[in-house]
Structure formats: C-alpha cells, structure tokens
C-alpha cells in the first residue's frame, strides 16, 4: 500500500456536521466540560475536601461549540498584555471589587489593568520578589531556581514578574474560588492552569519543582480533616502532596500572617518537622508580611533519625504511576534515584540544564543518543519549517501548548522566542514529564479523550505531533477537534504533524468549523481558527 500524496487531499471538503452552540445561557462563554458538570457536582456526597472543584467529566463528551463573549477582541499582545487586557474578553468585574484593597486588578475604560499588587504584595510584586531573594540569596532566580509552582496564584502577577528573571512559573488555582483569576492570567500571557489540592494528586510528576510558593493561598496544609499520623491536629495530605512534587533540596516559600510564630504547638511546625522540612529563613518585612522558607531534604538521614516514623515513607513504586485521577497519599514520597540506585543530585543550573542529560533518563545504552537526536530533530524542524516555512504569524503567539510533548524538544527549540509552552504528556504515552521538568520546562499529564483544565480561548497555538494514533481506539477524533476549538483563541493556529490518514480525517472536521487549512510537505496541516459560531437563526442548509 503506497502512502498518500498531498494531491490526494481536497482541503475544501467539509464534514457534514450540524454544529450547535452550547446551551448554558450566560455561562456558555466560559464552559469547561470537566469542571462544569453541574449534575455530577450536585450528586457529590461531600464538598469538604474541595471535591466540587475537581474533574467530573460528562459522558459522552459534549459536541457543542462555546460562543464568544459579546465584543470579543484580538487579545492585547505580549508584553503589553502583562499589564493590561481587554475587559470585553474576560468581562468579570467581581474580582475588582473583592480585591480592591489589595490592588490585584483595576478596571480602566475598556481595559483591566494589573498594577502588580496582591494580598502579600503591599509594596508591589517587584518588591516582594526582591524581598524573597534578600531573605535567602541561595535561591538565585533564573539559575538555581528555574521552575516554580505558585499555589493559589491570584491573577499570577508573581509568576508574570519572574519571567523577567528567566523563571517559569506554573500558576494554579481552582475555578471560581475567586472569579476568573486563571482566565485573567492566561489572557495576560502568563502560564496557568485550573487545579486544586483536594482528594487527588496534582497532575505533575514526583520531584518536579525547584520551588513552591504560597502567598496566603488559603490551603489548610495542617487541616485535621485529612490525615493525622498520630500527632494531635497534624493533618497533612495537602503538604505531603507538595512534598511529592518538590525536588530534593527544593524550597517552599510560605508568606502568611502566622508564619513568623515559633510555637512548637503550632500544627504547621509539627507537620513540617515530621516531613523533615528545614526552616532556612524566617522574617517579617516592614509592612508586616511574614515569610518562612523551608527546604526539602536531599538525603534520607533525617527520615531515618525520626523517633516516630510518621508519616511513613511510601512503598517504592514497582510500575509507572502517572498522577492522573490518583488519590492523595498519606506517606512521604521517595527521593529520586538513578539507574544504579544512587540519589539524584540537584539539577544543573539554568540554562545549561535545557540541553544537559536529564538525570531521570532511562538507563538503556542508547537512551542518551535518542534524547540528543530528538533535541537536534526539533531544533532543525522548528528553525527550517515551523518558523520559516509555514503561514503562521509567530509575532502574535504567546500561549503555546504541545499536545504530545515527548521529551519537550519542541518547547526547547522555541526557547528564544517570546512565548511559553505548556508541555502535555498523554497518559497513554511514554512518561517523559520528569525529563521535561528536569530540562527547566513545565507541563502536565492529560487524557485527550477528555476536556483540558483551562478556560476557552486561552491558547494561541496548539501543536500536535503524531498524537491521534494513540487516541483512535479510545475516542472520536471529532470530540478532540471540539476541545481544540474550545481551547484555541480566534485567529489562533493548530499545527499538526501526522500521517496522511489522520490529516484526511481531521481536515474536513476543521473545515466544517469554518477554519482555514493549509497542507505543507504532505505531513504538516496548519489550521487557523476564525470567529465563526453557529447562528441560532441559520437554516440547516446554511449551517
């Protein structure tokens, strides 16, 4: 059987699909299927552990299209977008009133303006970031510290400012805890995702982040409704989850009113002592903001010295355990080791770690050669084809998602561009997410047969390299296309590298959505999303 040629594809053919807008009233413009499944949420037995903010995906996946907000405009370009965005694109003013004393966000004419304030940023986020560094100079933003997790991030001004210091921050918060805060962050062009520390693990690998930050993030780390280890009021599952995703030797920066206390009866003191976190700095600034910085151990010596082995060390993993719908653990995760069983050392400083051999690379003889060839492949493909040979205007691209990221080579090849990449490792693909973080990049696990944890219209470019072959036996390509259409901004691009068989299935679906499509070299399909939505007044023939 011979391979299909570009001439075999008629790009003007459209699937006969009758599309409809999602019928959810005013809520439709921000619809996230797996977080807005109201029927499933109503049936929950408990909301005590934030179960209602976790994923509850509808079955079957909805095939409706999310409408645009009235007055939607082409987003403000980066870097101007960090400071101001169109009000009509995210018309949610409640946060302005709710946080008006803290200067998170203001409405000014047709714009939302972000002054860099926050609950703990009384002198602005610039001063706050400098305050952290002065408190612990070993942090060295952009060298020792490259990848950060910001818990309960507000509108992500902390992560937005750190981009200037060569630090990339995964900001996260639950949907609707404060209205549209993650939507604001993504509209600004700052990495962010909807998530919550509830009953399930975060969708990140073990030992991923160099630093975790929490500024009054309203998570009860020591809540006794979780797990008590035999210590009075100890609590702990949320903090154990932070310990899991924090690298050995990594830091937890906690700024909140009570952190300057030294009372050993404080349950947070008991809990951090039990998990062997060492206080390496503690202070209060001139505005009264308390700050404590903990460091996770990089060896087992402290764990072994504990009089009470509570919480216990987790059992060692015998197989791949991707953190996808996995319950939180009440044990301390193991420190990472190499193929010889030796503890892995702290990462190479940034930017050398981007191209260095990742510590968790498999021990097979040809693994390093495969990794290096993958890096060279993506560097050449991005330079020779993606940036130069395709009709994609990279000047207006800020938010990028690699839907099947592999080793993160696509993101690494774009590192000099003024954009960021969310690297997605599908749960049925080889687990390479630890390698991606070791390179100084960010990403998550996901199943593309379900909706992604982001608002509509939050990405400028989605990249898919041979993704669909692993999905065809589990879900319909139409459902994946609907999710792509939901995530992508009008004027945004889908770049697909795949077999001709896949392209011939996908292109007619995109055309039925009134996308424009172009095929390059018989393997690269570029789709550009327009602003079309079905009109309720259209006849069946017109639709």
């Amino acid at each position: 059987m011979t391979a299909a040629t570009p001439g075999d594809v008629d790009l003007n053919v459209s699937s006969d699909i009758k599309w409809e807008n999602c019928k959810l009233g005013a809520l439709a413009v921000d619809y996230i299927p797996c977080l807005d499944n109201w029927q499933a949420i109503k049936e929950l037995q408990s909301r005590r552990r934030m179960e209602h903010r976790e994923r509850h995906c509808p079955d079957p996946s909805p095939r409706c299209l999310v409408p645009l907000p009235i007055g939607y405009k082409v987003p403000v370009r980066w870097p101007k977008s960090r400071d101001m965005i169109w009000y009509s694109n995210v018309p949610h003013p409640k946060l302005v009133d709710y946080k008006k004393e803290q200067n998170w966000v203001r409405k000014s004419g047709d714009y939302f303006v972000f002054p860099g304030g926050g609950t703990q940023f009384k002198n602005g986020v610039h001063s706050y970031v400098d305050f952290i560094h002065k408190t612990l100079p070993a942090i060295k933003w952009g060298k020792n510290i490259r990848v950060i997790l910001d818990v309960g991030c507000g509108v992500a001004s902390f992560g937005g400012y750190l981009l200037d210091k060569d630090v990339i921050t995964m900001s996260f918060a639950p949907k609707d805890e404060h209205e549209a805060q993650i939507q604001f962050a993504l509209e600004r062009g700052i990495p962010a995702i909807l998530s919550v520390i509830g009953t399930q693990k975060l969708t990140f690998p073990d030992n991923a982040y160099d630093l975790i930050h929490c500024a009054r993030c309203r998570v009860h780390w020591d809540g006794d409704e979780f797990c008590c280890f035999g210590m009075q009021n100890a609590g702990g599952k949320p903090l154990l989850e932070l310990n899991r995703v924090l690298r050995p030797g990594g830091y937890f920066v906690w700024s909140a009113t009570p952190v300057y206390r030294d009372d050993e009866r404080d349950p947070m003191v008991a809990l951090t002592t039990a998990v062997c976190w060492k206080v390496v700095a503690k202070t209060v600034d001139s505005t009264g903001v308390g700050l404590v910085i903990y460091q996770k151990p990089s060896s087992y010596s402290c764990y072994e010295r504990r009089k009470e082995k509570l919480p216990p060390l987790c059992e060692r993993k015998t197989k791949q355990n991707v953190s996808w719908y996995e319950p939180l653990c009440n044990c301390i995760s193991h420190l990472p080791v190499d193929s010889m069983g030796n503890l892995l050392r702290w990462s190479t400083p940034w930017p050398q770690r981007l191209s260095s051999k990742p510590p968790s690379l498999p021990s097979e003889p040809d693994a390093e050669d495969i990794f290096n060839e993958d890096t060279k492949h993506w560097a050449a493909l991005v330079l020779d084809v993606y940036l130069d040979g395709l009709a994609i205007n990279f000047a207006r691209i800020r938010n990028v998602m690699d839907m099947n990221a592999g080793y993160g080579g696509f993101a690494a090849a774009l590192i000099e561009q003024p954009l960021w990449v969310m690297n997605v490792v599908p749960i049925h693909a080889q687990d390479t997410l630890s390698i991606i973080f070791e390179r100084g990049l960010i990403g998550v696990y996901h199943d593309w047969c379900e909706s992604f944890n982001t608002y509509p219209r939050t990405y400028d470019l989605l990249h898919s390299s041979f993704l669909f072959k692993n999905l065809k036996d589990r879900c319909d390509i139409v459902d994946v296309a609907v999710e792509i259409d939901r995530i992508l901004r009008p004027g945004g691009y889908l770049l697909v590298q795949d077999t001709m068989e896949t392209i011939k299935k996908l292109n007619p679906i995109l055309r039925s959505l009134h996308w424009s499509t172009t095929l390059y070299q018989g393997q690269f399909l570029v789709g550009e999303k327009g602003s079309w939505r079905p009109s309720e007044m259209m006849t069946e023939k017109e639709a």
Side-chain angles (χ1 to χ4, degrees), residues 24-72:
L24 299 167
L27 301 176
V29 295
D30 293 331
Y31 181 44
I32 306 170
C34 291
L35 298 182
D36 293 334
N37 187 349
W38 310 120
Q39 185 59 44
I41 291 172
K42 287 178 183 178
E43 294 173 0
L44 290 173
Q45 298 299 308
S46 171
R47 298 189 179 191
R48 188 163 58 98
R49 300 182 183 178
M50 299 291 284
E51 290 93 339
H52 58 300
R53 303 296 188 202
E54 295 181 324
R55 292 173 61 84
H56 305 281
C57 295
D59 186 18
S61 298
R63 289 192 176 181
C64 60
L65 304 183
V66 174
L68 297 177
I70 296 172
Y72 183 84

Side-chain angles (χ1 to χ4, degrees), residues 495-528:
L495 170 53
V496 177
Q497 180 187 23
D498 218 305
T499 63
M500 188 56 60
E501 178 187 7
T502 295
I503 290 172
K504 291 174 76 171
K505 290 179 180 177
L506 181 60
N507 181 76
I509 301 169
L510 300 180
R511 297 293 293 185
S512 73
L513 292 165
H514 293 232
W515 287 32
S516 62
T517 57
T518 313
L519 185 65
Y520 297 87
Q521 301 179 14
Q523 61 174 321
F524 302 105
L525 180 69
V526 176
E528 182 175 1

Side-chain angles (χ1 to χ4, degrees), residues 427-438:
I427 60 169
H428 291 281
Q430 179 186 357
D431 183 6
T432 53
L433 196 50
S434 291
I435 291 172
I436 287 169
F437 275 95
E438 288 165 0

Side-chain angles (χ1 to χ4, degrees), residues 446-512:
H446 185 59
D447 182 353
W448 283 113
C449 291
E450 298 180 2
S451 172
F452 193 80
N453 273 20
T454 192
Y455 283 91
R457 306 170 301 278
T458 45
Y459 283 85
D460 303 308
L461 172 66
L462 301 186
H463 174 250
S464 167
S465 178
F466 298 101
L467 167 71
F468 292 93
K469 64 181 180 181
N470 292 323
L471 297 176
K472 62 182 180 180
D473 294 331
R474 298 192 302 111
C475 52
D476 196 313
I477 193 172
V478 175
D479 296 323
V480 184
V482 169
E483 178 62 4
I484 289 170
D485 181 84
R486 189 187 71 84
I487 291 174
L488 205 60
R489 289 170 171 169
Y493 301 96
L494 171 66
L495 170 53
V496 177
Q497 180 187 23
D498 218 305
T499 63
M500 188 56 60
E501 178 187 7
T502 295
I503 290 172
K504 291 174 76 171
K505 290 179 180 177
L506 181 60
N507 181 76
I509 301 169
L510 300 180
R511 297 293 293 185
S512 73

Side-chain angles (χ1 to χ4, degrees), residues 215-329:
R216 291 285 296 275
C217 54
R218 299 175 65 194
V219 177
H220 299 291
W221 307 115
D222 55 333
D224 61 6
E225 67 269 34
F226 290 98
C227 179
C228 287
F229 317 138
M231 298 181 295
Q232 184 177 5
N233 295 324
K237 278 191 177 181
L239 195 83
L240 285 169
E241 178 63 0
L242 287 198
N243 184 75
R244 181 184 72 83
V245 300
L246 185 62
R247 295 183 60 83
Y251 301 103
F252 175 51
V253 177
W254 186 36
S255 66
T257 303
V259 303
Y260 51 81
R261 298 188 304 209
D262 290 312
D263 188 348
E264 292 185 0
R265 294 170 297 177
D266 188 320
M268 188 65 172
V269 173
L271 179 57
T272 53
T273 301
V275 299
C276 289
W277 283 11
K278 178 183 178 183
V279 175
V280 291
K282 181 184 284 190
T283 188
V284 181
D285 75 359
S286 59
T287 68
V289 171
L291 179 75
V292 62
I293 303 177
Y294 299 93
Q295 188 172 27
K296 177 179 174 178
S298 54
S299 74
Y300 283 103
S301 58
C302 174
Y303 300 139
E304 294 166 351
R305 290 197 307 267
R306 293 181 301 164
K307 292 181 180 178
E308 300 217 16
K309 302 296 191 287
L310 296 170
L313 288 172
C314 300
E315 293 184 8
R316 289 193 179 275
K317 296 179 181 178
T318 57
K319 60 180 181 179
Q320 179 176 313
N321 183 26
V322 172
S323 53
W324 181 249
Y325 292 121
E326 284 288 319
L328 290 179
C329 291

Side-chain angles (χ1 to χ4, degrees), residues 129-145 251 280-281 293:
V129 168
D130 292 341
F131 169 50
I132 293 174
H133 185 257
K134 288 176 182 176
T135 302
L136 188 66
I139 281 177
K140 292 184 181 178
W141 302 120
K143 293 181 181 178
N144 290 349
I145 301 301
Y251 301 103
V280 291
I293 303 177

